[in-house]
Amino acid sequence: MTEQDIHHLLSKLPKLKQEIQKVIVGQEEVLDEVLITLLAGGHGLLEGVPGLAKTLLVRTLSNAMELGFRRIQFTPDLMPTDILGTEVLEEDHVTGKRFFKFNEGPIFSNIVLADEINRTPPKTQAALLEAMQEYEVTYAGKTYELPKPFFLLATQNPIEQAGTYPLPEAQLDRFLLYIKIKYPTEQEELNILANTTGTRQAQVQPSISGEEILQLRQLVREVNISEELLMYVNHIVRATRPDSTIVDFVKTYCRWGAGPRAGQALILTAKARALLHGRFAVTEDDIRTMAYPVLRHRVLVNFTAEAERITPDRVVDELLQSIKLPKAVLV
């Protein structure tokens, strides 16, 4: 791509954000993290209490892009074939021969919303694993590629645990970011009330294509990161592991640390954040900001921490205070 092509691509990102903000009031940090997940080529897990526009955010994102969108409402009786698809017996009207034809499920879309993913049993949750990691689906011995770009956003409610099935750690690790949605500020909530209780409805216009998303994903990987910052990421991730950490807080309150996938996620999302802000080099601030959504679902606290209400975010606080930048970065 020429320099002009790159600037044209980057100009699409503020427009995309503006279109989404026609509907979504506030939630600037959440919106940035969703776009970073999209640019980095991963998948996101959104957690928030009911009524914080989790589903509306994903639907608005799909409306702002020229991409297919499907929503899957996860329920206790949902089966893997309801997500992936199934084979049906059909008859050729010319020859009279019967044959099996694979009917694609809702997973075969560019943007997929897995709504309330923790309400379905592990067997159905696991049906997403191959799609999330390999971007393909295997059924009856045949492999079917998913459309590109493929982007899955799952939602879950943190307060209601009756009748839910918490995601296993291995599946949580497949999500690039764990995004927490907080209550809006007083002014934001006032704007929400004013904008959503009248006759005026915001019209969201598509501002970016699937091909441009794929080009931006390639551009993300070309963002520069120094060797010292790579070492910094490596030190942070390795310090989450209780058996080898130098951070006493982790030894006391953690029972399991993050694996190498966390380091990959932290670097890719830091690059995506830099690009989202119009920069072609990763900074310390990019890494420190993305450490929370990258690590909060990959660091498991022990019973002592739970008893003292110490969260993974508090662990990340201690890590960032304890792990210093290599001196070469400060020169």
Side-chain angles (χ1 to χ4, degrees), residues 185-213:
T185 64
E186 183 177 358
Q187 184 59 50
E188 288 171 352
E189 193 158 0
L190 186 62
N191 293 339
I192 291 170
L193 297 176
N195 294 345
T196 58
T197 56
T199 57
R200 176 180 161 273
Q201 289 188 339
Q203 298 297 319
V204 177
Q205 301 298 325
S207 58
I208 195 168
S209 67
E211 183 60 36
E212 288 169 330
I213 291 293

PDB file of all heavy atoms in Angstrom, residues 185-213:
ATOM      1  N   THR A 185     -21.886   7.689  33.291  1.00  0.00           N
ATOM      2  CA  THR A 185     -21.834   8.826  34.208  1.00  0.00           C
ATOM      3  C   THR A 185     -23.216   9.486  34.264  1.00  0.00           C
ATOM      4  O   THR A 185     -24.110   9.167  33.476  1.00  0.00           O
ATOM      5  CB  THR A 185     -20.804   9.865  33.742  1.00  0.00           C
ATOM      6  OG1 THR A 185     -21.237  10.397  32.470  1.00  0.00           O
ATOM      7  CG2 THR A 185     -19.423   9.232  33.574  1.00  0.00           C
ATOM      8  N   GLU A 186     -23.381  10.417  35.191  1.00  0.00           N
ATOM      9  CA  GLU A 186     -24.680  11.082  35.340  1.00  0.00           C
ATOM     10  C   GLU A 186     -25.080  11.812  34.057  1.00  0.00           C
ATOM     11  O   GLU A 186     -26.221  11.722  33.603  1.00  0.00           O
ATOM     12  CB  GLU A 186     -24.638  12.062  36.518  1.00  0.00           C
ATOM     13  CG  GLU A 186     -25.979  12.736  36.778  1.00  0.00           C
ATOM     14  CD  GLU A 186     -25.945  13.643  37.995  1.00  0.00           C
ATOM     15  OE1 GLU A 186     -24.892  13.718  38.658  1.00  0.00           O
ATOM     16  OE2 GLU A 186     -26.983  14.266  38.287  1.00  0.00           O
ATOM     17  N   GLN A 187     -24.124  12.536  33.439  1.00  0.00           N
ATOM     18  CA  GLN A 187     -24.435  13.278  32.211  1.00  0.00           C
ATOM     19  C   GLN A 187     -24.724  12.326  31.053  1.00  0.00           C
ATOM     20  O   GLN A 187     -25.637  12.563  30.256  1.00  0.00           O
ATOM     21  CB  GLN A 187     -23.269  14.208  31.854  1.00  0.00           C
ATOM     22  CG  GLN A 187     -23.539  15.102  30.642  1.00  0.00           C
ATOM     23  CD  GLN A 187     -24.753  15.990  30.835  1.00  0.00           C
ATOM     24  OE1 GLN A 187     -24.890  16.676  31.847  1.00  0.00           O
ATOM     25  NE2 GLN A 187     -25.666  15.983  29.860  1.00  0.00           N
ATOM     26  N   GLU A 188     -23.964  11.246  30.967  1.00  0.00           N
ATOM     27  CA  GLU A 188     -24.187  10.261  29.905  1.00  0.00           C
ATOM     28  C   GLU A 188     -25.566   9.621  30.043  1.00  0.00           C
ATOM     29  O   GLU A 188     -26.278   9.434  29.052  1.00  0.00           O
ATOM     30  CB  GLU A 188     -23.098   9.189  29.940  1.00  0.00           C
ATOM     31  CG  GLU A 188     -21.739   9.673  29.464  1.00  0.00           C
ATOM     32  CD  GLU A 188     -20.637   8.655  29.726  1.00  0.00           C
ATOM     33  OE1 GLU A 188     -20.905   7.651  30.413  1.00  0.00           O
ATOM     34  OE2 GLU A 188     -19.502   8.890  29.265  1.00  0.00           O
ATOM     35  N   GLU A 189     -25.951   9.321  31.288  1.00  0.00           N
ATOM     36  CA  GLU A 189     -27.262   8.704  31.500  1.00  0.00           C
ATOM     37  C   GLU A 189     -28.380   9.680  31.155  1.00  0.00           C
ATOM     38  O   GLU A 189     -29.417   9.285  30.599  1.00  0.00           O
ATOM     39  CB  GLU A 189     -27.388   8.230  32.948  1.00  0.00           C
ATOM     40  CG  GLU A 189     -28.557   7.311  33.169  1.00  0.00           C
ATOM     41  CD  GLU A 189     -28.396   6.440  34.403  1.00  0.00           C
ATOM     42  OE1 GLU A 189     -27.370   6.555  35.100  1.00  0.00           O
ATOM     43  OE2 GLU A 189     -29.306   5.632  34.650  1.00  0.00           O
ATOM     44  N   LEU A 190     -28.171  10.949  31.446  1.00  0.00           N
ATOM     45  CA  LEU A 190     -29.151  11.974  31.083  1.00  0.00           C
ATOM     46  C   LEU A 190     -29.299  12.046  29.565  1.00  0.00           C
ATOM     47  O   LEU A 190     -30.417  12.144  29.034  1.00  0.00           O
ATOM     48  CB  LEU A 190     -28.721  13.329  31.646  1.00  0.00           C
ATOM     49  CG  LEU A 190     -29.704  14.496  31.475  1.00  0.00           C
ATOM     50  CD1 LEU A 190     -31.008  14.211  32.212  1.00  0.00           C
ATOM     51  CD2 LEU A 190     -29.090  15.794  31.976  1.00  0.00           C
ATOM     52  N   ASN A 191     -28.172  11.980  28.854  1.00  0.00           N
ATOM     53  CA  ASN A 191     -28.212  11.991  27.379  1.00  0.00           C
ATOM     54  C   ASN A 191     -28.919  10.757  26.824  1.00  0.00           C
ATOM     55  O   ASN A 191     -29.646  10.838  25.836  1.00  0.00           O
ATOM     56  CB  ASN A 191     -26.796  12.075  26.812  1.00  0.00           C
ATOM     57  CG  ASN A 191     -26.119  13.393  27.107  1.00  0.00           C
ATOM     58  OD1 ASN A 191     -26.788  14.387  27.392  1.00  0.00           O
ATOM     59  ND2 ASN A 191     -24.800  13.420  27.056  1.00  0.00           N
ATOM     60  N   ILE A 192     -28.692   9.606  27.475  1.00  0.00           N
ATOM     61  CA  ILE A 192     -29.364   8.372  27.046  1.00  0.00           C
ATOM     62  C   ILE A 192     -30.879   8.524  27.177  1.00  0.00           C
ATOM     63  O   ILE A 192     -31.646   8.183  26.265  1.00  0.00           O
ATOM     64  CB  ILE A 192     -28.866   7.174  27.879  1.00  0.00           C
ATOM     65  CG1 ILE A 192     -27.409   6.852  27.536  1.00  0.00           C
ATOM     66  CG2 ILE A 192     -29.742   5.942  27.642  1.00  0.00           C
ATOM     67  CD1 ILE A 192     -26.756   5.849  28.474  1.00  0.00           C
ATOM     68  N   LEU A 193     -31.320   9.063  28.301  1.00  0.00           N
ATOM     69  CA  LEU A 193     -32.754   9.252  28.521  1.00  0.00           C
ATOM     70  C   LEU A 193     -33.351  10.196  27.489  1.00  0.00           C
ATOM     71  O   LEU A 193     -34.448   9.966  26.969  1.00  0.00           O
ATOM     72  CB  LEU A 193     -32.996   9.783  29.935  1.00  0.00           C
ATOM     73  CG  LEU A 193     -32.583   8.863  31.095  1.00  0.00           C
ATOM     74  CD1 LEU A 193     -32.796   9.558  32.428  1.00  0.00           C
ATOM     75  CD2 LEU A 193     -33.343   7.551  31.043  1.00  0.00           C
ATOM     76  N   ALA A 194     -32.619  11.258  27.177  1.00  0.00           N
ATOM     77  CA  ALA A 194     -33.125  12.243  26.206  1.00  0.00           C
ATOM     78  C   ALA A 194     -33.164  11.677  24.785  1.00  0.00           C
ATOM     79  O   ALA A 194     -34.090  11.958  24.022  1.00  0.00           O
ATOM     80  CB  ALA A 194     -32.258  13.501  26.251  1.00  0.00           C
ATOM     81  N   ASN A 195     -32.171  10.858  24.447  1.00  0.00           N
ATOM     82  CA  ASN A 195     -32.046  10.373  23.067  1.00  0.00           C
ATOM     83  C   ASN A 195     -32.922   9.168  22.747  1.00  0.00           C
ATOM     84  O   ASN A 195     -33.187   8.887  21.582  1.00  0.00           O
ATOM     85  CB  ASN A 195     -30.584   9.999  22.772  1.00  0.00           C
ATOM     86  CG  ASN A 195     -29.668  11.214  22.793  1.00  0.00           C
ATOM     87  OD1 ASN A 195     -30.121  12.347  22.744  1.00  0.00           O
ATOM     88  ND2 ASN A 195     -28.373  10.971  22.897  1.00  0.00           N
ATOM     89  N   THR A 196     -33.328   8.435  23.773  1.00  0.00           N
ATOM     90  CA  THR A 196     -34.009   7.159  23.504  1.00  0.00           C
ATOM     91  C   THR A 196     -35.485   7.143  23.857  1.00  0.00           C
ATOM     92  O   THR A 196     -36.153   6.114  23.691  1.00  0.00           O
ATOM     93  CB  THR A 196     -33.320   6.018  24.291  1.00  0.00           C
ATOM     94  OG1 THR A 196     -33.355   6.327  25.695  1.00  0.00           O
ATOM     95  CG2 THR A 196     -31.878   5.857  23.847  1.00  0.00           C
ATOM     96  N   THR A 197     -36.029   8.258  24.345  1.00  0.00           N
ATOM     97  CA  THR A 197     -37.437   8.265  24.745  1.00  0.00           C
ATOM     98  C   THR A 197     -38.291   9.186  23.881  1.00  0.00           C
ATOM     99  O   THR A 197     -39.451   9.444  24.208  1.00  0.00           O
ATOM    100  CB  THR A 197     -37.573   8.689  26.224  1.00  0.00           C
ATOM    101  OG1 THR A 197     -36.938   9.970  26.405  1.00  0.00           O
ATOM    102  CG2 THR A 197     -36.925   7.666  27.137  1.00  0.00           C
ATOM    103  N   GLY A 198     -37.718   9.667  22.774  1.00  0.00           N
ATOM    104  CA  GLY A 198     -38.468  10.526  21.863  1.00  0.00           C
ATOM    105  C   GLY A 198     -38.723   9.827  20.538  1.00  0.00           C
ATOM    106  O   GLY A 198     -38.601   8.610  20.392  1.00  0.00           O
ATOM    107  N   THR A 199     -39.079  10.626  19.555  1.00  0.00           N
ATOM    108  CA  THR A 199     -39.409  10.065  18.236  1.00  0.00           C
ATOM    109  C   THR A 199     -38.203   9.990  17.309  1.00  0.00           C
ATOM    110  O   THR A 199     -38.226   9.269  16.312  1.00  0.00           O
ATOM    111  CB  THR A 199     -40.485  10.940  17.556  1.00  0.00           C
ATOM    112  OG1 THR A 199     -39.995  12.297  17.465  1.00  0.00           O
ATOM    113  CG2 THR A 199     -41.777  10.928  18.358  1.00  0.00           C
ATOM    114  N   ARG A 200     -37.148  10.707  17.631  1.00  0.00           N
ATOM    115  CA  ARG A 200     -35.973  10.745  16.755  1.00  0.00           C
ATOM    116  C   ARG A 200     -35.174   9.458  16.869  1.00  0.00           C
ATOM    117  O   ARG A 200     -34.895   8.978  17.961  1.00  0.00           O
ATOM    118  CB  ARG A 200     -35.096  11.938  17.141  1.00  0.00           C
ATOM    119  CG  ARG A 200     -33.795  12.033  16.377  1.00  0.00           C
ATOM    120  CD  ARG A 200     -32.988  13.256  16.838  1.00  0.00           C
ATOM    121  NE  ARG A 200     -31.591  13.110  16.466  1.00  0.00           N
ATOM    122  CZ  ARG A 200     -30.686  12.480  17.218  1.00  0.00           C
ATOM    123  NH1 ARG A 200     -31.053  11.939  18.360  1.00  0.00           N
ATOM    124  NH2 ARG A 200     -29.433  12.395  16.822  1.00  0.00           N
ATOM    125  N   GLN A 201     -34.815   8.882  15.726  1.00  0.00           N
ATOM    126  CA  GLN A 201     -33.998   7.675  15.696  1.00  0.00           C
ATOM    127  C   GLN A 201     -32.743   7.927  14.868  1.00  0.00           C
ATOM    128  O   GLN A 201     -32.833   8.447  13.757  1.00  0.00           O
ATOM    129  CB  GLN A 201     -34.783   6.502  15.101  1.00  0.00           C
ATOM    130  CG  GLN A 201     -35.879   5.986  16.016  1.00  0.00           C
ATOM    131  CD  GLN A 201     -36.502   4.710  15.492  1.00  0.00           C
ATOM    132  OE1 GLN A 201     -36.406   4.421  14.308  1.00  0.00           O
ATOM    133  NE2 GLN A 201     -37.137   3.960  16.375  1.00  0.00           N
ATOM    134  N   ALA A 202     -31.611   7.567  15.441  1.00  0.00           N
ATOM    135  CA  ALA A 202     -30.332   7.778  14.748  1.00  0.00           C
ATOM    136  C   ALA A 202     -30.206   6.797  13.590  1.00  0.00           C
ATOM    137  O   ALA A 202     -30.553   5.615  13.705  1.00  0.00           O
ATOM    138  CB  ALA A 202     -29.176   7.596  15.714  1.00  0.00           C
ATOM    139  N   GLN A 203     -29.707   7.279  12.466  1.00  0.00           N
ATOM    140  CA  GLN A 203     -29.473   6.457  11.289  1.00  0.00           C
ATOM    141  C   GLN A 203     -27.982   6.213  11.142  1.00  0.00           C
ATOM    142  O   GLN A 203     -27.215   7.152  10.929  1.00  0.00           O
ATOM    143  CB  GLN A 203     -30.033   7.145  10.031  1.00  0.00           C
ATOM    144  CG  GLN A 203     -31.537   7.366  10.048  1.00  0.00           C
ATOM    145  CD  GLN A 203     -32.314   6.060  10.094  1.00  0.00           C
ATOM    146  OE1 GLN A 203     -31.946   5.087   9.417  1.00  0.00           O
ATOM    147  NE2 GLN A 203     -33.372   6.026  10.892  1.00  0.00           N
ATOM    148  N   VAL A 204     -27.582   4.964  11.266  1.00  0.00           N
ATOM    149  CA  VAL A 204     -26.170   4.604  11.168  1.00  0.00           C
ATOM    150  C   VAL A 204     -25.858   4.215   9.729  1.00  0.00           C
ATOM    151  O   VAL A 204     -26.531   3.370   9.146  1.00  0.00           O
ATOM    152  CB  VAL A 204     -25.833   3.431  12.119  1.00  0.00           C
ATOM    153  CG1 VAL A 204     -24.370   3.016  11.964  1.00  0.00           C
ATOM    154  CG2 VAL A 204     -26.118   3.833  13.561  1.00  0.00           C
ATOM    155  N   GLN A 205     -24.833   4.848   9.158  1.00  0.00           N
ATOM    156  CA  GLN A 205     -24.439   4.592   7.776  1.00  0.00           C
ATOM    157  C   GLN A 205     -23.179   3.730   7.747  1.00  0.00           C
ATOM    158  O   GLN A 205     -22.239   3.982   8.496  1.00  0.00           O
ATOM    159  CB  GLN A 205     -24.170   5.909   7.040  1.00  0.00           C
ATOM    160  CG  GLN A 205     -25.355   6.865   6.997  1.00  0.00           C
ATOM    161  CD  GLN A 205     -26.543   6.285   6.252  1.00  0.00           C
ATOM    162  OE1 GLN A 205     -26.380   5.556   5.269  1.00  0.00           O
ATOM    163  NE2 GLN A 205     -27.741   6.587   6.739  1.00  0.00           N
ATOM    164  N   PRO A 206     -23.138   2.705   6.881  1.00  0.00           N
ATOM    165  CA  PRO A 206     -21.906   1.916   6.748  1.00  0.00           C
ATOM    166  C   PRO A 206     -20.738   2.792   6.302  1.00  0.00           C
ATOM    167  O   PRO A 206     -20.874   3.588   5.374  1.00  0.00           O
ATOM    168  CB  PRO A 206     -22.266   0.888   5.662  1.00  0.00           C
ATOM    169  CG  PRO A 206     -23.758   0.838   5.645  1.00  0.00           C
ATOM    170  CD  PRO A 206     -24.222   2.211   6.012  1.00  0.00           C
ATOM    171  N   SER A 207     -19.609   2.657   7.008  1.00  0.00           N
ATOM    172  CA  SER A 207     -18.474   3.535   6.711  1.00  0.00           C
ATOM    173  C   SER A 207     -17.192   2.773   6.399  1.00  0.00           C
ATOM    174  O   SER A 207     -16.167   3.396   6.125  1.00  0.00           O
ATOM    175  CB  SER A 207     -18.225   4.479   7.895  1.00  0.00           C
ATOM    176  OG  SER A 207     -17.981   3.741   9.073  1.00  0.00           O
ATOM    177  N   ILE A 208     -17.228   1.441   6.454  1.00  0.00           N
ATOM    178  CA  ILE A 208     -16.015   0.665   6.177  1.00  0.00           C
ATOM    179  C   ILE A 208     -16.424  -0.714   5.670  1.00  0.00           C
ATOM    180  O   ILE A 208     -17.459  -1.252   6.077  1.00  0.00           O
ATOM    181  CB  ILE A 208     -15.135   0.559   7.454  1.00  0.00           C
ATOM    182  CG1 ILE A 208     -13.720   0.077   7.109  1.00  0.00           C
ATOM    183  CG2 ILE A 208     -15.773  -0.326   8.493  1.00  0.00           C
ATOM    184  CD1 ILE A 208     -12.735   0.233   8.255  1.00  0.00           C
ATOM    185  N   SER A 209     -15.627  -1.273   4.772  1.00  0.00           N
ATOM    186  CA  SER A 209     -15.952  -2.573   4.173  1.00  0.00           C
ATOM    187  C   SER A 209     -15.127  -3.694   4.816  1.00  0.00           C
ATOM    188  O   SER A 209     -14.146  -3.439   5.534  1.00  0.00           O
ATOM    189  CB  SER A 209     -15.679  -2.538   2.673  1.00  0.00           C
ATOM    190  OG  SER A 209     -14.283  -2.420   2.423  1.00  0.00           O
ATOM    191  N   GLY A 210     -15.508  -4.921   4.520  1.00  0.00           N
ATOM    192  CA  GLY A 210     -14.768  -6.070   5.029  1.00  0.00           C
ATOM    193  C   GLY A 210     -13.352  -6.116   4.502  1.00  0.00           C
ATOM    194  O   GLY A 210     -12.414  -6.455   5.231  1.00  0.00           O
ATOM    195  N   GLU A 211     -13.169  -5.760   3.238  1.00  0.00           N
ATOM    196  CA  GLU A 211     -11.834  -5.758   2.641  1.00  0.00           C
ATOM    197  C   GLU A 211     -10.933  -4.737   3.334  1.00  0.00           C
ATOM    198  O   GLU A 211      -9.747  -4.992   3.569  1.00  0.00           O
ATOM    199  CB  GLU A 211     -11.933  -5.445   1.148  1.00  0.00           C
ATOM    200  CG  GLU A 211     -10.606  -5.484   0.407  1.00  0.00           C
ATOM    201  CD  GLU A 211      -9.918  -6.832   0.478  1.00  0.00           C
ATOM    202  OE1 GLU A 211     -10.624  -7.862   0.465  1.00  0.00           O
ATOM    203  OE2 GLU A 211      -8.673  -6.861   0.556  1.00  0.00           O
ATOM    204  N   GLU A 212     -11.499  -3.598   3.684  1.00  0.00           N
ATOM    205  CA  GLU A 212     -10.716  -2.567   4.378  1.00  0.00           C
ATOM    206  C   GLU A 212     -10.354  -3.015   5.800  1.00  0.00           C
ATOM    207  O   GLU A 212      -9.273  -2.694   6.293  1.00  0.00           O
ATOM    208  CB  GLU A 212     -11.500  -1.257   4.401  1.00  0.00           C
ATOM    209  CG  GLU A 212     -11.557  -0.587   3.036  1.00  0.00           C
ATOM    210  CD  GLU A 212     -12.549   0.555   2.974  1.00  0.00           C
ATOM    211  OE1 GLU A 212     -13.563   0.516   3.704  1.00  0.00           O
ATOM    212  OE2 GLU A 212     -12.329   1.487   2.169  1.00  0.00           O
ATOM    213  N   ILE A 213     -11.249  -3.767   6.450  1.00  0.00           N
ATOM    214  CA  ILE A 213     -10.934  -4.318   7.774  1.00  0.00           C
ATOM    215  C   ILE A 213      -9.749  -5.268   7.675  1.00  0.00           C
ATOM    216  O   ILE A 213      -8.822  -5.238   8.501  1.00  0.00           O
ATOM    217  CB  ILE A 213     -12.150  -5.042   8.374  1.00  0.00           C
ATOM    218  CG1 ILE A 213     -13.247  -4.050   8.749  1.00  0.00           C
ATOM    219  CG2 ILE A 213     -11.751  -5.861   9.601  1.00  0.00           C
ATOM    220  CD1 ILE A 213     -12.907  -3.118   9.876  1.00  0.00           C
TER     221      ILE A 213
END
